[in-house]
Structure formats: C-alpha cells, structure tokens
C-alpha cells in the first residue's frame, strides 16, 4: 500500500494539522510544510509550539559569500541558508537571533537567521563615541565581546539587549526597542568580563577577578526607578589570574545558575601559529543568595550543555536523538590566537566533552574556521 504525491496532497486538512501538532523538532516541521502546497497551506507557524526546547544548530564559520551553513547534530547534515545580511559581519547568537556587527562600517543589527527579519541597533561608533574613541571605529572592529537578549524578539517587544564592549576597559551598555541610543552602565570591569547571562529577570556578569554583579534593567513599558539597579553578589577571589588559560560561561539548568569553567592550553603548529585547545571542564552551581559556588558537580544527569561564542544553554538529551547525556558540546571562541593562520584559525577547538570520563570526541565531521565569524551555536526558532 502506497500513496502517490497526489494522494498525500489530498489528505484531509484536519488530519494534516493533527500530524503537524505531533512534530516536536522545528527542522522536521519546516520539512513537513515543504512536502507540498496543500500541507503548507494547512499548517501555519502557529501550529508549532515555539516554547518547546530545540537542539542548537552549529552555524559554521563564515565564508566570503551570501550563504551561511548550519550543521544539524540530529540529522548529521549541513544546510545552506541564503543570508546576505550576515556577510562580512561578526555574529553573536542569543535567543535564536544574531547580533551582527559589520566589520568595516560598524553597523549593528539584530538578525533572525531563518526569517531574515532585521532590527536596526545603534552603531558600534555610538558605543565608542561615549568614551571619546569614535576615531578608532575603523580600527576596533572586534570591540563587541558579548551580546545577550533578555527575551526572544519574535515573541515579545519587551526585551533588553545587553552588550559587553571593550573601549578600552570592559564595560556594559544596553538597548531596548524604541531607544535611540545605547544606555551605558557606569561600572568599569578592569579585569574584563568573563561571563554574561540573563537569568530570572536580571542580567548577571562575572569578572576575571571573580566579582559577580546583578543588573535589573527597567523595561520601556514600566516606570521602575532607577533605570538600572546594580548589586554585587559575590567576590570569588580564587578565580583571578586564570586568563587566558580558563574561560567561563554562565548557563541555566532547571532554574539554577551554573558556572562552567573551560580549561585550555596553547600549542604551536608546524608554521609557528599558536593553537588553543580545550582539555577539561568543571561545573558548579552559583548560590546567588549566599554569593558563593557550591561543590563541583560530577554529573549533569540526562542534561547536556552547549556553549561557545557568546552563548550557553542546557537541554534534556533524552528527548532528542543524537545528543549524548552528561556531555558539554563546545565550539571555539578563542580570538586571542590564530590571527595569522590562512583562512582564519578560530574554529579548530570544538568537541563533545564527557563529564564522567573527561574524554573529548568530535561531533562535526570536518573543520570549519573563520577569523571574521567562527562556528557558534544557534537555537532554531
């Protein structure tokens, strides 16, 4: 018994919608709607539960073209997506969107990589002008270190974008829909900001000296005063002095705020280029009430962590094929190295770390490097 394409196209609309409602992976939902015209007409975007957790896609290193490539861990294949808006831009992923910074002009936008919707932001030059460094704009193209959204702009207009920039010291600024310029936070982190996240209504940052701060930013539709409330949560002095051998990431797991420490070392290739490689991770919960780290976690259970350039997230591996529990999937974000490697050296340091046996294995069959924009995880939405 088999159906012709015409037979599939003639299925009742109610049955098509019923089937579509059972699809839990957004890649499968997109493929489902692409079967034929009647299936696309019968199923709308609203038929997919956008709040369901999704496996991040690996956005491969940028090439000098109008397409970007995305690798699916579950499908084990690469898809090419027409995305000319990201060409020549550094891309910082957050909440399924990309904060793009055009390298030669400093233009900044929020860009949805799959719908190509774009939201204009104040420029990089506007950040530097505040610190009387506008003349350096063309020579300071990687001054935006992190860009973190408080919510998905596809779902709400009440969100905040926090950026960490170096000009020349590490500072934070934010933008909200309707703002004409960046609002600068008058706190200087001379040791540099090691991690930044939005968690339970607040932004959290940690410096390389182990100083953890919380920032509550008033939304546009509120009258909260002051505009930014800042408080120091912890001063973990034993963290200081590890840069650049250790990198840090905040990630949320079941409502708890975790600090992931990524340990690396430097080697050199035959041409004398420095190569940074990761060999170990440690995970601990940050007690935001007492302001200290709890005992190191030896297992994540069924959870897996994805981390890399700008962003980190957790998901339940038992709900997805191809994702191993108790693993940390990491991408390369070590811009301090490989600057002179032909084609860009950033992107070599990727793998899946088993928290139990401390072994690292490859998850991507190949190598993807780029000096402009290295591989990074993006949540499909």
């Amino acid at each position: 018994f088999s159906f012709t394409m015409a037979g599939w196209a003639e299925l009742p609309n109610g049955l098509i919608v019923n089937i579509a409602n059972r699809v839990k992976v957004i890649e499968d939902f997109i493929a489902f709607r692409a079967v034929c015209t009647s299936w696309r007409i019968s199923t709308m975007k609203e038929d997919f539960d956008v709040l369901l957790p999704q496996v991040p896609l690996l956005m491969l290193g940028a090439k000098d073209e109008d397409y970007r490539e995305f690798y699916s861990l579950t499908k084990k294949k690469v898809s090419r997506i027409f995305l000319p808006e990201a060409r020549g831009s550094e891309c910082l992923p957050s909440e399924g969107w990309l904060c793009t910074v055009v390298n030669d002009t400093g233009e900044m936008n929020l860009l949805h990589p799959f719908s190509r919707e774009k939201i204009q932001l104040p420029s990089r030059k506007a950040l530097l002008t505040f610190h009387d460094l506008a003349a350096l704009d063309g020579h300071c193209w990687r001054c935006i270190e992190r860009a973190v959204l408080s919510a998905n702009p596809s779902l709400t207009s009440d969100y905040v974008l926090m950026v960490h920039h170096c000009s020349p010291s590490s500072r934070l600024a934010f933008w909200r829909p309707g703002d004409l310029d960046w609002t600068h936070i008058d706190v200087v982190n001379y040791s540099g900001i090691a991690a930044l996240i939005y968690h339970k209504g607040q932004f959290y940052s940690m410096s390389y000296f182990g100083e953890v701060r919380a920032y509550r930013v008033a939304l546009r539709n509120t009258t909260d005063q002051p505009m930014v409330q800042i408080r120091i949560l912890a001063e973990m002095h034993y963290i200081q002095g590890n840069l650049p051998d250790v990198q840090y990431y905040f990630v949320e797991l079941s409502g708890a705020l975790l600090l992931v420490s990524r340990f690396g070392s430097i080697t050199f290739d035959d041409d004398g280029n420095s190569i940074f490689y990761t060999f170990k991770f440690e995970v601990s919960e940050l007690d935001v009430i007492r302001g200290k780290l709890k005992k190191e976690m030896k297992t994540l259970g069924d959870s897996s962590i994805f981390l890399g350039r700008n962003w980190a997230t957790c998901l339940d591996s038992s709900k997805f094929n191809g994702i191993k529990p108790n693993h940390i999937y990491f991408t390369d974000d070590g811009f301090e190295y490989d600057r002179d490697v032909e084609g860009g050296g950033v992107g070599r340091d990727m793998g899946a770390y088993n928290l139990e046996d401390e072994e690292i294995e490859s998850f991507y069959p190949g190598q993807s490097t780029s000096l402009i924009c290295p591989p990074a995880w993006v949540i499909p939405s």
Side-chain angles (χ1 to χ4, degrees), residues 299-326:
T299 180
L300 298 171
D302 285 335
S303 296
S304 297
I305 293 176
F306 292 78
L307 59 79
R309 179 66 172 149
N310 190 70
W311 183 77
T313 191
C314 281
L315 58 78
D316 185 347
S317 64
S318 65
K319 297 181 180 179
F320 303 96
N321 295 324
I323 307 302
K324 296 184 178 181
N326 202 34

Side-chain angles (χ1 to χ4, degrees), residues 108-127:
M108 296 181 64
N109 295 284
L110 286 174
L111 173 65
H112 193 285
F114 308 112
S115 70
R116 294 175 59 193
E117 181 182 353
K118 188 166 66 172
I119 301 172
Q120 186 175 2
L121 301 170
S123 70
R124 179 184 61 200
K125 185 176 182 179
L127 281 173

Side-chain angles (χ1 to χ4, degrees), residues 16 19-20 23 27-36 39 43:
I16 296 173
I19 296 173
V23 178
E27 300 165 66
D28 295 337
F29 184 76
I30 294 172
F32 182 89
R33 297 187 73 234
V35 168
C36 60
W39 285 31
T43 55

Side-chain angles (χ1 to χ4, degrees), residues 196-222:
L196 181 66
I197 194 175
Y198 184 79
H199 171 71
K200 293 185 175 180
Q202 299 182 99
F203 289 93
Y204 291 84
S205 74
M206 187 186 79
S207 74
Y208 280 105
F209 281 171
E211 188 174 66
V212 180
R213 287 188 174 100
Y215 310 82
R216 186 178 295 276
V217 180
L219 296 175
R220 291 284 297 181
N221 61 354
T222 68

Side-chain angles (χ1 to χ4, degrees), residues 31-52:
F32 182 89
R33 297 187 73 234
V35 168
C36 60
T37 302
S38 65
W39 285 31
R40 184 167 60 254
I41 293 174
S42 299
T43 55
M44 306 300 291
K45 291 185 293 183
E46 291 74 15
D47 293 317
F48 187 84
D49 186 352
V50 296
L51 298 180
L52 285 173

